[in-house]
Coordinates of all heavy atoms in Angstrom, one line a residue:
F264 N 83.2 72.3 120.4 CA 83.8 72.4 121.7 C 83.0 71.8 122.9 O 83.5 71.9 124.1 CB 84.1 73.9 121.9 CG 85.2 74.4 121.0 CD1 84.8 74.8 119.6 CD2 86.5 74.3 121.3 CE1 85.8 75.1 118.8 CE2 87.5 74.6 120.4 CZ 87.1 75.0 119.1
K271 N 92.6 74.2 115.5 CA 94.0 74.2 114.9 C 94.0 74.9 113.7 O 93.0 75.2 113.0 CB 94.5 72.8 114.8 CG 93.7 71.9 113.8 CD 94.3 70.5 113.8 CE 93.5 69.7 112.8 NZ 92.1 69.7 112.7
G292 N 78.6 88.3 113.9 CA 78.5 87.5 115.2 C 79.3 88.1 116.4 O 79.2 87.6 117.5
Y301 N 88.3 89.2 125.3 CA 88.8 88.1 126.0 C 90.3 88.2 126.2 O 90.9 87.9 127.2 CB 88.4 86.7 125.2 CG 88.9 85.5 125.9 CD1 88.2 85.0 127.0 CD2 90.1 84.9 125.6 CE1 88.6 83.8 127.6 CE2 90.5 83.7 126.2 CZ 89.8 83.2 127.2 OH 90.2 82.0 127.8
I307 N 96.3 88.3 127.9 CA 97.1 87.8 126.7 C 97.7 89.1 126.0 O 98.8 89.0 125.4 CB 96.1 87.0 125.8 CG1 95.6 85.9 126.6 CG2 96.9 86.6 124.5 CD1 94.5 85.1 125.9
G317 N 83.7 108.0 114.8 CA 83.9 109.4 115.4 C 82.6 110.2 115.2 O 81.5 109.8 115.6
T337 N 83.2 99.7 120.2 CA 84.1 99.7 119.0 C 83.6 98.6 118.0 O 84.3 98.4 117.0 CB 85.5 99.4 119.3 OG1 85.7 98.1 119.8 CG2 86.1 100.4 120.4
L347 N 95.3 103.0 107.5 CA 96.3 101.9 107.6 C 96.5 101.7 109.1 O 97.2 102.4 109.7 CB 97.4 102.2 106.8 CG 98.4 101.0 106.6 CD1 97.7 99.9 105.7 CD2 99.7 101.4 106.0
L356 N 103.7 100.8 119.6 CA 104.8 99.8 120.0 C 106.1 100.5 120.2 O 106.9 100.0 121.1 CB 104.8 98.6 119.1 CG 103.5 97.7 119.1 CD1 103.6 96.7 118.1 CD2 103.4 97.0 120.5
Y379 N 106.9 96.2 108.1 CA 107.6 96.8 109.3 C 108.4 95.8 110.1 O 109.5 96.1 110.6 CB 106.5 97.3 110.3 CG 105.9 98.6 109.8 CD1 104.5 98.9 109.6 CD2 106.7 99.9 109.6 CE1 104.0 100.1 109.3 CE2 106.2 101.0 109.2 CZ 104.8 101.2 109.1 OH 104.3 102.4 108.7
L392 N 97.1 89.5 115.8 CA 96.4 90.0 114.6 C 95.1 89.3 114.4 O 95.0 88.2 113.9 CB 97.3 89.9 113.4 CG 98.7 90.6 113.6 CD1 99.6 90.3 112.3 CD2 98.6 92.0 113.9
S402 N 86.9 106.2 100.2 CA 87.5 107.4 100.8 C 86.3 108.2 101.4 O 85.3 108.4 100.7 CB 88.1 108.3 99.7 OG 89.4 108.3 99.9
H439 N 66.4 103.3 103.3 CA 67.7 102.6 103.0 C 67.8 102.4 101.5 O 66.7 102.3 100.8 CB 68.0 101.3 103.8 CG 67.0 100.2 103.5 ND1 67.3 99.3 102.6 CD2 65.8 99.9 104.0 CE1 66.3 98.4 102.5 NE2 65.4 98.8 103.4
R459 N 90.3 98.4 94.5 CA 89.8 97.7 93.4 C 90.8 96.8 92.8 O 90.5 95.7 92.4 CB 89.4 98.7 92.2 CG 88.3 99.6 92.6 CD 88.0 100.6 91.5 NE 87.3 101.7 92.0 CZ 86.9 102.8 91.2 NH1 87.3 102.8 90.0 NH2 86.3 103.8 91.8
V491 N 91.1 79.8 111.0 CA 92.2 79.8 111.9 C 93.5 79.8 111.1 O 93.7 78.9 110.3 CB 92.2 78.6 112.9 CG1 93.4 78.6 113.9 CG2 90.9 78.6 113.6
D494 N 98.9 79.2 115.0 CA 98.7 78.4 116.4 C 98.3 79.5 117.4 O 97.5 79.1 118.3 CB 100.1 77.8 116.7 CG 100.5 76.7 115.8 OD1 99.6 76.2 115.1 OD2 101.7 76.4 115.8
G507 N 83.5 80.0 127.4 CA 82.1 80.5 127.2 C 82.0 81.9 126.7 O 80.8 82.4 126.8
P516 N 78.6 73.4 104.8 CA 79.4 73.0 103.6 C 79.1 73.9 102.5 O 80.0 74.3 101.6 CB 79.1 71.5 103.3 CG 78.6 70.9 104.6 CD 78.0 72.1 105.3
L519 N 80.7 77.2 102.9 CA 82.1 77.1 102.7 C 82.3 77.2 101.2 O 83.3 78.0 100.8 CB 82.5 75.7 103.3 CG 84.0 75.5 103.6 CD1 84.3 76.4 104.7 CD2 84.1 74.1 104.1
G533 N 89.6 92.0 91.0 CA 90.9 92.8 91.2 C 91.8 92.7 90.1 O 92.4 93.6 89.6
E555 N 101.6 114.0 85.7 CA 100.8 114.0 87.0 C 101.6 114.6 88.1 O 101.1 115.4 88.9 CB 100.3 112.6 87.4 CG 99.3 112.0 86.5 CD 97.9 112.5 86.8 OE1 97.7 113.3 87.7 OE2 96.9 112.1 86.0
C569 N 104.1 106.2 103.9 CA 104.3 104.9 103.3 C 104.9 103.8 104.2 O 106.0 104.1 104.8 CB 105.2 105.1 102.1 SG 105.7 103.5 101.2
P588 N 116.6 122.1 97.1 CA 115.9 123.0 97.9 C 115.2 124.1 97.1 O 115.8 124.7 96.2 CB 116.9 123.6 98.9 CG 118.1 122.7 98.9 CD 118.1 122.1 97.5
D607 N 110.3 96.8 94.9 CA 110.2 95.4 95.4 C 109.2 95.2 96.5 O 109.1 94.1 97.0 CB 111.6 94.8 95.7 CG 112.1 95.5 96.9 OD1 111.7 96.6 97.3 OD2 113.1 94.9 97.5
L644 N 105.6 84.3 89.5 CA 104.4 85.0 90.2 C 103.4 85.3 89.1 O 102.3 85.7 89.5 CB 104.9 86.3 90.8 CG 105.8 86.0 92.1 CD1 106.3 87.4 92.6 CD2 105.1 85.3 93.1

Side-chain angles (χ1 to χ4, degrees):
F264 294 87
K271 61 182 185 317
Y301 180 82
I307 297 167
T337 68
L347 189 67
L356 291 171
Y379 283 125
L392 304 177
S402 252
H439 64 95
R459 295 177 198 180
V491 181
D494 293 342
L519 204 58
E555 290 279 0
C569 174
D607 66 339
L644 290 177

